[in-house]
Amino acid sequence: MKVLQRSIKEPVIDGIRLPGFPPAELQVYTVGSAFDKTLSEASNFYAHVKAACARNGKPIRPGTEILDFGVSWGRVIRFFLKDVDAATLHGVDTSAKFLDAARQTGIPGHLHQIDPMGRLPYDDRAFDLAFAYSVFTHLPEHVQDHWLADIARTLRPGALLIATVEPPRFLDYFAALDVEDKSLHPWQASMARKIRSDGGLKARLQADGYVYIPEKEGTDGSGETYGDCVMTKAYVQQHWGRWFDIVEFLDDPKRFWQAVVVARVRG
């Protein structure tokens, strides 16, 4: 972490050029923070992924093939350069803009653009580990299911998917915000309005274990492939259980804003 923090101002350390960073505006647009703060958040997730792999009998080694599903501009994938060769790092995203930023700043690995309902450009059983930070927090159920199935296809038997999801406390947090507070990020204010305007969200979450909040205010989300979603632990265990055994579900706001799921692919 300290080396990557130094790399914000020192792109070359001990003769090695480290990955750079896109403009602060792009960082804030994608993750709500920039530079030291966003690196700290990414570092926490990286450490959790590495420890979870070790706990579950899949320690990360130099030859471990890793997929970053939703690589964006590369804030998380860069941490794995400590553990593996860049040739075993792979990242996909639907955004050409974010991938261009990643390539222009020297993010390691093989990066590919995918369609929102496309197919991963990899063979079956290609990876030992897949991770997705703040991706399954945004997918409508049919899109979520599509990618869970395809990620499972690309994982080797017993490999792990480690992903974050929004737990029920997400609704309580935004329902309590003052939508007139000018200090709120526009996304926060919009989310608070959408949650307050839909009085049935909690009831649907209790009944179904999952709710989708459309990206566009005042719509039902039909045809969308991206918005925000909330799910319960029971839903993850049952619904994701079609492809994975859920071995860990961490919902601790002192450690992560989102809940972290560790899932082992079947077969």
Side-chain angles (χ1 to χ4, degrees):
M1 174 62 180
K2 291 182 179 179
V3 171
L4 288 180
Q5 283 179 320
R6 282 179 58 194
S7 73
I8 295 171
K9 296 181 179 179
E10 300 178 57
V12 179
I13 297 176
D14 296 332
I16 299 173
R17 178 168 292 277
L18 296 173
F21 298 84
E25 294 80 7
L26 179 61
Q27 296 180 55
V28 172
Y29 175 78
T30 56
V31 299
S33 60
F35 299 117
D36 287 281
K37 186 174 180 181
T38 197
L39 273 185
S40 177
E41 186 179 335
S43 176
N44 288 342
F45 181 66
Y46 157 76
H48 187 80
V49 169
K50 189 171 179 180
C53 289
R55 281 195 304 271
N56 289 282
K58 293 290 181 179
I60 296 174
R61 296 189 170 96
T64 299
E65 296 281 349
I66 300 174
L67 172 65
D68 183 344
F69 182 75
V71 65
S72 187
W73 50 265
R75 68 164 171 163
V76 177
I77 197 172
R78 68 186 66 209
F79 282 87
F80 290 88
L81 276 175
K82 293 172 57 178
D83 308 293
V84 302
D85 188 274
T88 70
L89 292 174
H90 307 262
V92 296
D93 206 282
T94 60
S95 171
K97 177 180 179 180
F98 300 158
L99 289 170
D100 285 345
R103 294 186 181 105
Q104 290 166 10
T105 54
I107 292 301
H110 310 282
L111 306 179
H112 297 280
Q113 185 176 4
I114 55 174
D115 293 327
M117 288 292 288
R119 177 181 168 90
L120 292 171
Y122 307 108
D123 293 336
D124 295 358
R125 301 186 173 188
F127 298 110
D128 303 294
L129 167 67
F131 66 85
Y133 189 81
S134 200
V135 178
F136 287 98
T137 54
H138 294 289
L139 304 183
E141 193 171 48
H142 71 286
V143 181
Q144 167 197 254
D145 291 356
H146 171 85
W147 288 116
L148 286 172
D150 206 38
I151 290 171
R153 174 186 65 79
T154 66
L155 289 176
R156 293 167 179 160
L160 300 177
L161 166 64
I162 302 178
T164 62
V165 300
E166 293 291 8
R169 56 184 163 85
F170 179 90
L171 298 181
D172 297 327
Y173 172 83
F174 282 99
L177 291 181
D178 177 4
V179 296
E180 303 302 326
D181 183 352
K182 301 301 182 183
S183 69
L184 291 179
H185 187 281
W187 174 80
Q188 290 179 309
S190 173
M191 186 58 56
R193 287 193 299 269
K194 286 186 282 190
I195 288 173
R196 285 188 176 191
S197 67
D198 188 344
L201 272 175
K202 280 196 171 182
R204 295 201 305 277
L205 180 61
Q206 185 173 8
D208 302 331
Y210 172 97
V211 289
Y212 177 69
I213 304 165
E215 182 178 25
K216 295 180 180 178
E217 292 187 53
T219 71
D220 64 1
S222 298
E224 288 188 356
T225 57
Y226 183 95
D228 288 275
C229 61
V230 179
M231 61 191 81
T232 65
K233 179 180 179 180
Y235 171 89
V236 171
Q237 290 173 326
Q238 181 176 8
H239 201 83
W240 293 30
R242 289 182 286 172
W243 304 278
F244 298 91
D245 292 319
I246 308 305
V247 295
E248 295 181 17
F249 187 99
L250 175 69
D251 183 9
D252 182 353
K254 293 181 180 179
R255 295 184 62 186
F256 294 101
W257 163 250
Q258 300 165 352
V260 186
V261 178
V262 179
R264 188 187 304 277
V265 71
R266 294 237 175 95

